[in-house]
Amino acid sequence: MSFMSNMRLTILIVLVLISALLILSPYIFKQKGVEVSFVENGTTCVSQGDILTGLEGLQIQNANQFQSLVQNVTQNSTISLTDNGNSVACTAIANGDLGFLVKDISSSNLKFGIDISGGTSVLLQPVNATADPNVIAETITTLNDRINFYGLKDIRVSAIGSNLIQIQEAGATGNDISNFLAKQGKFEGKLLYQIQVSNNAVPFTIGNNKFSFGVTNSSIIINGTAVQPGQNFVLDGFNFQFLNTTNFTAFIYGDVLQGSDIVTVLNSAQYSSIQQVQGGWQFTFSIQLTQTAAQRFATLTSNQPTVYIGGQSYITPQLVLLLDNQIISQLNIASNIAGQVTTVASIQGVQQTQNDALTESLRLQSTLRSGSLPVQLEIVKVDTITQTAGQQLINSTFVVAIAAAISVSIIIMIRYRKIKIAIPMILTSFSEVTIVLGFYALTQVLSGGNGWDIDIPAVAGLIALIGVGVNQLIIITDQMLLESEQTVKYRYKTAMNMIYNSAAIVITAMIPLIVLGLGTLRGFAITTILGVLIGIFITRPAYTAILERLEKLV
């Protein structure tokens, strides 16, 4: 065998071994314990991605064992954990809850798409608008910011075509997507003025200025101008909206805060809490405002009428906080705060359960921190697949692959009457699949788990790859064995030219499926192109080297 033939075969063997190592390294060098998959807000003893190997002196084997041990933990009790080899102490935030979730450590670097592992895929589009690529890109960035702050894992956001956004969430029902991620997140803070008038006009106060105010029928007369319900008006440079009147009481919104006024969300123990109150659980956290917003708040709340509630003095206007036009908090403003330039505001809310309060608090914090989406989104399509269905697909794929190998082997045996040709041909085809899978695993390793997933179209591409590969190997075999009147070099060149032409056609056909953003077929196209390139540069030349040695052609 020539030096070049030896080199071809050596490259194939080395790449197969490297690919197998990339795929199976987590299993070969399997770590004991479990991986932290989600950390709730306020939990600081562990971080997402940490490996836990011990709990109260007991070795952790898997996630089910960990959950059974945590079940008996009581609220506020301190538990000792072994985290990345170090001893840490965690305080339970509730009975059976340490404030974080765990999962089994993966035994492979391959990561499957939601159509195999189970989960939800949601297709979104802008409402009543055609967004340009820059707006879509900005929207995706904001969504990723929400995901990172909220601590969500295995969620991917990508553009589909020019006007669609796809969010894929592995192992979930899609509630986080439809109820949280897809929300525009438009934050507003408004002062709700309740102005009681009779037949006589009363003054409407803004800072140190007073404006005449009266009610006639369903409209109001302010500073001599009639304003209808739902109509906006401007006074002293501030924006207001007249809502309605009831029994000579006028309800008016005054714009005091918006999303761009928030500098940061304060969620440390000093500024946030969850506590049980009458009727449920109350969450509290704070936001830091810009100096401009603080001055606006001071002006609009100064010199307002006061009322006593439970022995405490408050101004009559209330601070109403809205998210996507839905009220999330309606707060009384203490008289000693009104008129003051304060850059820290508190946000509160009440939910029925502690877990609901924690979830809602995280949702609001992440939305306020990431900002509002540049466009409002609507759900076009929701697809959900169970993990059981995905596992059945994988099992079926293995059966199909084995059946295909047996069938191809029988056909090759019938054609060439030589098992020493059939076996290398099958092994070469499967080595090609191994290298492709190794490339998928490499993308996961290099990107920290955010590489290319193997979805159903990719699996279809792998199956098609075996068929295409065997077909091209038969071309090589025919040329090398049946056209004996030509030199070996000429026969090899003829066979490879045919394969190059076929590969060029396949790659040309697959590129539009990637470039045009057809997400459902992208996995098939990527797998096919990878297989074709690996075939023409690695496996086909290596198979020729094996054939030369077996048949002693050189």
Side-chain angles (χ1 to χ4, degrees):
M1 185 182 288
S2 66
F3 172 79
M4 187 59 66
S5 296
N6 282 326
M7 182 62 68
R8 296 173 195 163
L9 191 55
T10 301
I11 292 174
L12 175 61
I13 294 173
V14 169
L15 286 179
V16 169
L17 291 176
I18 292 175
S19 298
L21 184 62
L22 284 170
I23 296 169
L24 301 174
S25 58
Y27 179 80
I28 298 173
F29 308 105
K30 186 172 178 59
Q31 289 180 288
K32 296 181 180 179
V34 293
E35 179 183 349
V36 177
S37 59
F38 173 75
V39 180
E40 294 179 353
N41 185 41
T43 299
T44 58
C45 57
V46 299
S47 301
Q48 188 172 341
D50 286 359
I51 303 298
L52 306 181
T53 55
L55 186 151
E56 290 293 312
L58 297 175
Q59 189 176 58
I60 301 173
Q61 302 294 337
N62 52 55
N64 288 334
Q65 180 207 16
F66 180 86
Q67 294 299 337
S68 64
L69 292 173
V70 172
Q71 264 185 338
N72 301 321
V73 174
T74 58
Q75 185 175 2
N76 295 324
S77 61
T78 301
I79 302 300
S80 174
L81 296 170
T82 303
D83 180 5
N84 291 336
N86 302 315
S87 180
V88 298
C90 281
T91 301
I93 64 173
N95 292 337
D97 189 355
L98 294 178
F100 60 88
L101 301 177
V102 301
K103 66 177 183 179
D104 290 326
I105 300 174
S106 175
S107 59
S108 171
N109 281 324
L110 295 178
K111 190 173 181 181
F112 295 98
I114 64 168
D115 47 6
I116 295 177
S117 62
T120 301
S121 175
V122 178
L123 201 61
L124 306 166
Q125 71 178 8
V127 176
N128 300 325
T130 300
D132 60 48
N134 292 331
V135 173
I136 292 294
E138 182 182 350
T139 302
I140 292 175
T141 299
T142 302
L143 290 172
N144 282 321
D145 288 342
R146 291 186 185 180
I147 290 169
N148 293 332
F149 181 78
Y150 194 65
L152 295 172
K153 197 171 177 67
D154 294 332
I155 292 186
R156 299 200 175 180
V157 184
S158 57
I160 302 295
S162 60
N163 201 43
L164 295 174
I165 295 175
Q166 184 182 56
I167 302 179
Q168 293 182 317
E169 183 178 16
T173 62
N175 287 333
D176 287 326
I177 296 177
S178 58
N179 296 331
F180 160 53
L181 290 177
K183 296 292 186 182
Q184 186 174 13
K186 180 184 177 182
F187 173 76
E188 298 171 287
K190 297 178 180 289
L191 286 178
L192 177 59
Y193 297 90
Q194 302 180 45
I195 305 175
Q196 295 182 351
V197 297
S198 57
N199 293 327
N200 298 319
V202 297
F204 181 52
T205 302
I206 301 177
N208 295 321
N209 299 321
K210 296 183 183 295
F211 302 88
S212 62
F213 185 91
V215 175
T216 171
N217 297 324
S218 61
S219 63
I220 60 174
I221 307 295
I222 186 159
N223 210 32
T225 303
V227 181
Q228 302 299 322
Q231 188 175 347
N232 297 323
F233 61 93
V234 179
L235 280 179
D236 209 21
F238 297 101
N239 297 319
F240 296 89
Q241 181 184 23
F242 171 42
L243 300 179
N244 55 43
T245 58
T246 304
N247 297 327
F248 291 99
T249 299
F251 296 89
I252 297 174
Y253 268 158
D255 294 346
V256 64
L257 298 175
Q258 55 186 357
S260 59
D261 293 325
I262 299 176
V263 176
T264 188
V265 176
L266 305 172
N267 57 5
S268 64
Q270 178 183 356
Y271 296 101
S272 65
S273 65
I274 295 178
Q275 57 186 354
Q276 193 168 13
V277 296
Q278 185 176 1
W281 290 81
Q282 177 180 280
F283 65 85
T284 304
F285 65 90
S286 299
I287 54 176
Q288 183 177 349
L289 305 173
T290 63
Q291 195 68 25
T292 301
Q295 184 61 57
R296 188 187 310 126
F297 175 85
T299 302
L300 291 175
T301 57
S302 63
N303 299 319
Q304 295 297 324
T306 59
V307 61
Y308 280 86
I309 302 175
Q312 174 70 44
S313 177
Y314 299 94
I315 62 173
T316 54
Q318 292 180 305
L319 178 61
V320 179
L321 302 178
L322 303 98
L323 190 66
D324 291 333
N325 299 318
Q326 300 295 318
I327 295 176
I328 57 175
S329 291
Q330 190 162 339
L331 309 173
N332 292 318
I333 303 173
S335 299
N336 60 347
I337 296 177
Q340 302 298 314
V341 180
T342 177
T343 57
V344 177
S346 178
I347 294 180
Q348 298 176 344
V350 177
Q351 298 290 323
Q352 290 185 345
T353 67
Q354 183 182 23
N355 186 63
D356 289 343
L358 176 62
T359 301
E360 182 67 6
S361 177
L362 282 174
R363 184 182 74 86
L364 293 177
Q365 291 179 47
S366 56
T367 302
L368 296 178
R369 183 169 177 172
S370 63
S372 64
L373 300 178
V375 292
Q376 185 179 354
L377 300 174
E378 63 179 353
I379 295 177
V380 178
K381 183 180 180 183
V382 178
D383 292 320
T384 301
I385 185 170
T386 64
Q387 190 171 12
T388 301
Q391 188 60 49
Q392 290 175 347
L393 174 68
I394 293 296
N395 295 338
S396 300
T397 301
F398 280 119
V399 172
V400 169
I402 293 172
I406 295 173
S407 301
V408 170
S409 299
I410 293 173
I411 294 173
I412 294 173
M413 285 291 298
I414 294 174
R415 178 173 177 81
Y416 297 107
R417 310 285 182 179
K418 295 179 180 179
I419 192 171
K420 66 180 183 179
I421 292 180
I423 293 178
M425 192 176 289
I426 296 299
L427 291 179
T428 302
S429 295
F430 279 100
S431 69
E432 191 171 304
V433 172
T434 301
I435 296 174
V436 172
L437 293 177
F439 187 85
Y440 272 97
L442 180 63
T443 65
Q444 297 292 344
V445 172
L446 295 179
S447 64
N450 293 314
W452 291 349
D453 293 348
I454 299 176
D455 52 14
I456 289 179
V459 172
L462 290 173
I463 296 175
L465 194 60
I466 296 175
V468 173
V470 169
N471 177 63
Q472 294 184 351
L473 294 179
I474 289 176
I475 292 175
I476 293 175
T477 305
D478 283 350
Q479 288 294 320
M480 298 296 289
L481 298 183
L482 302 183
E483 301 294 334
S484 57
E485 67 275 5
Q486 302 292 342
T487 65
V488 172
K489 184 177 180 179
Y490 179 84
R491 283 177 271 166
Y492 172 73
K493 184 178 179 180
T494 301
M496 291 306 296
N497 282 338
M498 296 172 65
I499 292 172
Y500 289 148
N501 292 335
S502 174
I505 294 173
V506 172
I507 293 175
T508 303
M510 292 297 107
I511 287 177
L513 300 183
I514 300 176
V515 176
L516 296 179
L518 300 177
T520 55
L521 295 176
R522 186 179 284 121
F524 177 82
I526 290 174
T527 302
T528 302
I529 291 176
L530 277 176
V532 167
L533 294 176
I534 291 170
I536 61 177
F537 291 115
I538 299 170
T539 57
R540 309 293 179 264
Y543 173 75
T544 304
I546 297 173
L547 197 61
E548 289 174 354
R549 182 171 184 176
L550 292 176
E551 294 298 316
K552 299 179 180 179
L553 297 174
V554 293

